[in-house]
Amino acid sequence: MAWCINPLGANQGVRAGLILPPGSLNRISESDVTASRTNLALASLRAPSPVAWEIASAPVPYPAAVAAMEERAAAIADGRAEELVWLLEHPPIYTAGTSAKPSDLVMPERFPVYRTGRGGQYTYHGPGQRVAYVMLDLRRRGTDIRTFVAGLERWLILALARFGVAGERREDRVGIWVSRPGPPPREDKIAAIGIRVRRWVSLHGVSLNVDPDLRHFEGIVPCGVHEHGITSLADLGIRATMDDVDAALRDSFAQVFVRMNPG
C-alpha cells in the first residue's frame, strides 16, 4: 500500500506538500501550518465517537496487512467494528498503484513488488517508515473525498510541526514536501498519501519517513515524480523515535478527525 493519489474517480484528491530548511529549523506554531486549508469544510470530518488505534510490534508482511485491512474495513462498513488507525512498518517492498508506469520501476529485482488497489504509482515501504492505515467510515464524516484527503494532509502537516518541520502541499504533485535551501535549492518528499474508498470506508492512508534507508527509493520513481528527491526526519537532522512520531500522529489526528464533546 503506497501513497499516491489517483487523479480520477473515487480516489480523486488534492495535492500535498512541505517546507523545511534543515540545519536552521525554526520552531513554528501549529496555527501557521493549518491556515492553508480554510477553504475546505474540514470540520465535517470530525466525528464524536472514538477511533481505535493499533500499533504493530514488528514489521508486517504486505499481503497479511492487505488482508487484515480489507477485513476490518468490511466490518466497519457492516457496522460490526470501530473505525481504526493501524500504525506499522513493512519489510522492504515496492507497491504499484493503479496508475503505475512500468518504466518507473527502475530496479524490479531489488525488492518484492506488489500491485495494490489504491490510486497512484510506485512507492517504497520499509523499516524506519511509519505507515498509517486509516479505516474511517466516511458516511459519518461526509462523503467528499477531496475534503477527506485535505484532512489527511492537514494531519501530516500538524504532526510534522511537532518536530519543527513546516509542511506544505503542492498543487502539481502528491505528498508532503520540504524545501531544502541548497545550493542548489530543491524540494524533497517526506510523507505521502494514498487512499481507496470501498463502501464509503477508507483504506490505505499515509506514510511518513522517520529514518528509512533512503537508498531504497532509488529502485523506483516515487509516485512518478522525477524532478524531486526523498527525505526523512533523520535526514533533516531530527532525532525522533518511532514512539515520538506515533505520539505526534495520534495527537494531531484528534485535531482533525475527532469532535470534542463540550465540557
Side-chain angles (χ1 to χ4, degrees):
M1 307 179 171
W3 320 111
C4 311
I5 295 171
N6 189 338
L8 300 174
N11 290 335
Q12 182 174 6
V14 285
R15 307 297 186 174
L18 269 192
I19 264 188
L20 157 358
S24 59
L25 296 175
N26 296 321
R27 302 302 298 182
I28 57 175
S29 68
E30 290 181 354
S31 61
D32 291 332
V33 295
T34 59
S36 63
R37 307 310 307 192
T38 55
N39 61 326
L40 292 172
L42 293 178
S44 66
L45 295 173
R46 295 182 180 138
S49 59
V51 175
W53 287 73
E54 294 182 7
I55 303 176
S57 59
V60 180
Y62 183 77
V66 171
M69 179 177 60
E70 292 187 344
E71 181 179 0
R72 180 60 174 250
I76 293 169
D78 291 338
R80 297 182 286 108
E82 293 179 304
E83 297 174 303
L84 175 67
V85 177
W86 186 18
L87 303 179
L88 53 82
E89 296 172 82
H90 284 304
I93 59 169
Y94 297 131
T95 64
T98 55
S99 301
K101 301 174 183 177
S103 59
D104 286 344
L105 182 59
V106 180
M107 302 178 185
E109 305 301 325
R110 188 166 190 179
F111 299 122
V113 180
Y114 293 96
R115 294 282 169 180
T116 181
R118 52 92 187 158
Q121 303 185 43
Y122 282 104
T123 289
Y124 166 78
H125 293 309
Q129 182 192 72
R130 177 52 87 208
V131 173
Y133 290 130
V134 182
M135 290 154 270
L136 298 183
D137 187 347
L138 300 186
R139 295 168 297 186
R140 302 173 59 244
R141 300 173 180 274
T143 54
D144 185 332
I145 304 302
R146 291 180 64 88
T147 298
F148 176 58
V149 173
L152 296 175
E153 291 176 342
R154 184 179 178 187
W155 175 30
L156 285 168
I157 288 168
L158 288 172
L160 288 166
R162 305 294 181 96
F163 302 100
V165 177
E168 289 186 354
R169 55 190 291 278
R170 293 288 180 264
E171 291 290 347
D172 61 339
R173 56 187 184 274
V174 298
I176 302 296
W177 300 83
V178 297
S179 177
R180 315 293 293 268
R186 69 182 194 273
E187 291 184 345
D188 292 338
K189 178 185 264 187
I190 193 171
I193 301 170
I195 62 167
R196 182 178 183 182
V197 176
R198 180 183 296 166
R199 297 172 63 194
W200 290 114
V201 175
S202 62
L203 298 95
H204 307 275
V206 306
S207 63
L208 173 60
N209 295 332
V210 181
D211 189 13
D213 187 338
L214 297 181
R215 295 171 298 179
H216 290 178
F217 287 88
E218 296 170 1
I220 57 171
V221 178
C223 293
V225 179
H226 293 260
E227 298 82 8
H228 304 284
I230 300 293
T231 191
S232 66
L233 291 177
D235 184 52
L236 296 170
I238 298 170
R239 292 188 176 183
T241 67
M242 201 64 78
D243 287 343
D244 295 333
V245 171
D246 291 347
L249 287 170
R250 188 159 188 165
D251 290 346
S252 300
F253 182 91
Q255 294 179 252
V256 180
F257 292 104
V258 177
R259 183 185 307 152
M260 301 301 179
N261 294 321

